Amino acid sequence: MRFYCLICFIHKHILSITLFSSFPFFSICQDYDTKLELLNLSITGISYSGYQTELDFNPATVKLGLWKYTKHFGQLINNESHYILKIPITNNDGNIELRLFLKLSGKNKTLVHMALDTAKIPIASLSVYQKETQDLILDFKKKFYWGQYQKVVDTKTDEAHKLSKKYRKISRKSANTKEGSRILENLLAINREIEKLKKLQLALST
């Protein structure tokens, strides 16, 4: 059984971007990597082997992304101190329900900690499901970052559209005004930012 794309655990792939808009209120500086830490997760006094990774976004944003991500294949339950993700699957072990424990911690950045509930997992299949847990947390991180980049692309595309309309309106009167030149410079800068973000998304899609 496969969850999503397989990402090598020992491989670290970093994509960095620092974009400063022509508008002072907007900036983004986020790093994506596939670095995982093997770390046990304690749930109601029981320790479960799991994985932890860091995201450059606050817990509220990551939590929303987690809900959107898991709703397509499982059920995410808020259990106050932690989350429980239930995933129904059918394979050689028959019809079973995988249960994963998740914890989010941090303030400006978020540590996502995920571990497999091994209580009902056959010993012979344990390593397989542990590997799928690893793949799942990395796949979530990849898709989460892709989505965050897309939000910025949408915002900047909307800005570019408004500036284009304004520039066309001004250029009909005179193409060589200071305001027209300033708008054109801002428009070109925004388009460069969009292209950089799209390149990051393309790298995340491979």
Side-chain angles (χ1 to χ4, degrees):
M1 195 273 283
R2 297 176 58 191
F3 271 142
Y4 297 93
C5 59
L6 175 63
I7 307 175
C8 179
F9 173 60
I10 61 174
H11 175 65
K12 183 180 179 184
H13 180 53
I14 299 178
L15 296 170
S16 303
I17 184 168
T18 304
L19 297 178
F20 295 98
S21 169
S22 304
F23 304 97
F25 67 87
F26 179 85
S27 68
I28 179 172
C29 178
Q30 311 294 354
D31 292 337
Y32 168 81
D33 63 52
T34 58
K35 185 167 61 176
L36 282 182
E37 181 182 1
L38 282 168
L39 190 66
N40 289 346
L41 179 59
S42 179
I43 301 294
T44 62
I46 302 175
S47 182
Y48 296 90
S49 177
Y51 304 93
Q52 182 173 275
T53 191
E54 184 178 70
L55 284 74
D56 290 321
F57 298 86
N58 62 60
T61 302
V62 175
K63 180 173 68 175
L64 179 60
L66 190 61
W67 282 100
K68 291 180 177 179
Y69 175 76
T70 58
K71 71 179 182 180
H72 300 293
F73 60 87
Q75 180 186 11
L76 187 65
I77 302 169
N78 189 340
N79 202 34
E80 296 185 1
S81 64
H82 61 279
Y83 293 90
I84 299 174
L85 175 59
K86 297 181 178 181
I87 307 173
I89 63 170
T90 301
N91 58 16
N92 294 333
D93 298 320
N95 296 321
I96 66 173
E97 180 181 73
L98 289 183
R99 281 166 41 100
L100 297 109
F101 300 119
L102 295 99
K103 279 189 177 181
L104 306 181
S105 60
K107 189 175 181 181
N108 296 322
K109 296 185 178 183
T110 304
L111 289 174
V112 179
H113 200 169
M114 181 183 293
L116 176 68
D117 181 0
T118 57
K120 297 182 180 180
I121 302 297
I123 295 178
S125 303
L126 189 57
S127 62
V128 173
Y129 293 120
Q130 288 285 13
K131 183 65 176 64
E132 288 172 352
T133 302
Q134 172 189 321
D135 294 344
L136 183 63
I137 190 172
L138 287 174
D139 188 63
F140 163 67
K141 186 174 184 179
K142 173 187 279 192
K143 287 182 170 59
F144 176 82
Y145 270 79
W146 194 98
Q148 294 303 310
Y149 290 149
Q150 185 60 44
K151 288 180 182 180
V152 181
V153 168
D154 291 343
T155 298
K156 304 310 288 181
T157 300
D158 185 56
E159 290 178 7
H161 179 68
K162 291 176 181 178
L163 282 178
S164 294
K165 289 178 64 177
K166 190 173 182 180
Y167 179 75
R168 287 196 299 270
K169 184 177 180 180
I170 291 175
S171 62
R172 280 196 292 266
K173 299 177 181 178
S174 176
N176 297 317
T177 63
K178 288 184 178 180
E179 185 180 8
S181 297
R182 178 182 59 81
I183 291 174
L184 184 58
E185 288 178 3
N186 288 339
L187 183 59
L188 292 174
I190 289 174
N191 285 334
R192 286 194 294 268
E193 293 174 1
I194 291 173
E195 287 305 310
K196 289 179 182 179
L197 285 164
K198 287 184 175 180
K199 287 180 180 178
L200 289 176
Q201 288 183 309
L202 181 61
L204 288 173
S205 300
T206 56

